[in-house]
Amino acid sequence: MPYLTPAPSGIARTGSSLGIGVPGYAHPLVAPLEWGELTRPGTPLHWVALDVSDGPGTRPDRHCLEAAGRLRNAGVQVLGRLDMTYGARAFAELAADARRYLDWYLVDGFLLDRCPTECGALAETGRTVTTLRALLGGGHIVLGHGTHPHPGYVETADQLVTFSGSWSDYRWSQVAEWTADHPPERFCHFVHGVPRGHLDEALRIARWQGAATIYFTDRTDRDGRIDPWETMPGYWDEIVSLVGTGVSE
């Protein structure tokens, strides 16, 4: 199977501690169960993305502030979701939204969703990340490419989302060779439509491909008509247990 191909460097792509990165649930009023479950003690979360209203919204939202506060009190990093629209979003707009996230929700970093992947956009993306780090005084930056970008991006952020898509694509996906030069902690995989019976297989793919942060769900995008990340997987307890204890190789 393609995902079992050893890394060219010969470095084993296993043994890293897996954790969950949440791409962004629906508003806490719409998904109270989801947000409540995230603060359960022992849940192996790396971070949770907050998307108030396709960004930080136009004014502070009390419900989102409370949800973010509970996560931070539980020791979970909260990232503000910023939509880069594949490089079409103006730098000034991104910076303004970032300031609102910081002022209103005290976020710990940012998920730059729909991040460009090509070499030509690398400099501008780097400029954006540098600005965000200055605003944060450090912080955690995730670039949400959704596929393998030009390898130069790995030097720009803390993590890259190198897969975001369906289970039917993920189970036959192949990892880019250059990722073998970096630890699994640098990469994230988000997969929707994963059947319950294939959770173990999906986790093994993530380990072999060298991704330490994952989010798997049985929800689907219904041919692009809905956001599969907005609601909790039907097997949330099972995936928390599997990720928390590891999965056999």
Side-chain angles (χ1 to χ4, degrees):
M1 291 183 287
Y3 60 80
L4 296 181
T5 303
S9 65
I11 299 173
R13 305 301 297 273
T14 60
S16 175
S17 177
L18 283 171
I20 298 169
V22 179
Y25 285 142
H27 190 280
L29 280 178
V30 179
L33 173 64
E34 281 82 349
W35 287 96
E37 281 292 312
L38 295 178
T39 57
R40 186 199 300 180
T43 304
L45 290 171
H46 285 171
W47 48 262
V48 174
L50 174 67
D51 187 0
V52 181
S53 180
D54 197 22
T58 57
R59 61 180 60 85
D61 184 299
R62 174 175 61 86
H63 304 284
C64 290
L65 181 59
E66 291 173 355
R70 286 193 293 268
L71 284 169
R72 278 197 306 277
N73 290 340
V76 178
Q77 289 192 109
V78 178
L79 310 184
R81 178 187 172 273
L82 296 171
D83 188 354
M84 294 193 72
T85 60
Y86 305 109
R89 188 92 183 277
F91 171 80
E93 291 182 8
L94 288 167
D97 276 359
R99 292 188 182 94
R100 293 188 186 100
Y101 269 122
L102 280 167
D103 291 344
W104 298 343
Y105 305 107
L106 303 176
V107 295
D108 304 294
F110 296 100
L111 167 63
L112 276 61
D113 203 10
R114 298 203 294 173
C115 185
T117 60
E118 66 275 10
C119 182
L122 183 54
E124 184 62 19
T125 302
R127 176 193 178 203
T128 299
V129 171
T130 298
T131 299
L132 297 180
R133 288 200 191 280
L135 290 173
L136 290 162
H140 190 78
I141 305 293
V142 181
L143 300 183
H145 305 285
T147 188
H148 289 96
H150 183 278
Y153 283 93
V154 78
E155 304 300 334
T156 302
D158 298 289
Q159 290 185 299
L160 310 182
V161 180
T162 53
F163 186 93
S164 180
S166 69
W167 167 243
S168 59
D169 290 334
Y170 188 59
R171 68 183 311 186
W172 303 113
S173 64
Q174 297 191 49
V175 65
E177 292 186 359
W178 60 263
T179 64
D181 297 328
H182 306 279
E185 289 76 15
R186 306 299 303 280
F187 303 106
C188 313
H189 288 174
F190 303 151
V191 190
H192 61 75
V194 181
R196 181 187 298 269
H198 289 275
L199 270 178
D200 280 349
E201 182 185 356
L203 288 168
R204 282 193 291 269
I205 293 173
R207 286 188 179 278
W208 277 104
Q209 292 198 2
T213 300
I214 60 94
Y215 188 84
F216 298 152
T217 179
D218 52 353
R219 312 308 184 192
T220 66
D221 66 355
R222 297 185 186 177
D223 297 322
R225 296 193 302 272
I226 65 169
D227 183 348
W229 320 120
E230 285 191 338
T231 57
M232 184 168 284
Y235 43 60
W236 175 254
D237 287 345
E238 185 173 348
I239 196 169
V240 165
S241 176
L242 286 170
V243 173
T245 59
V247 62
S248 60
E249 301 300 336

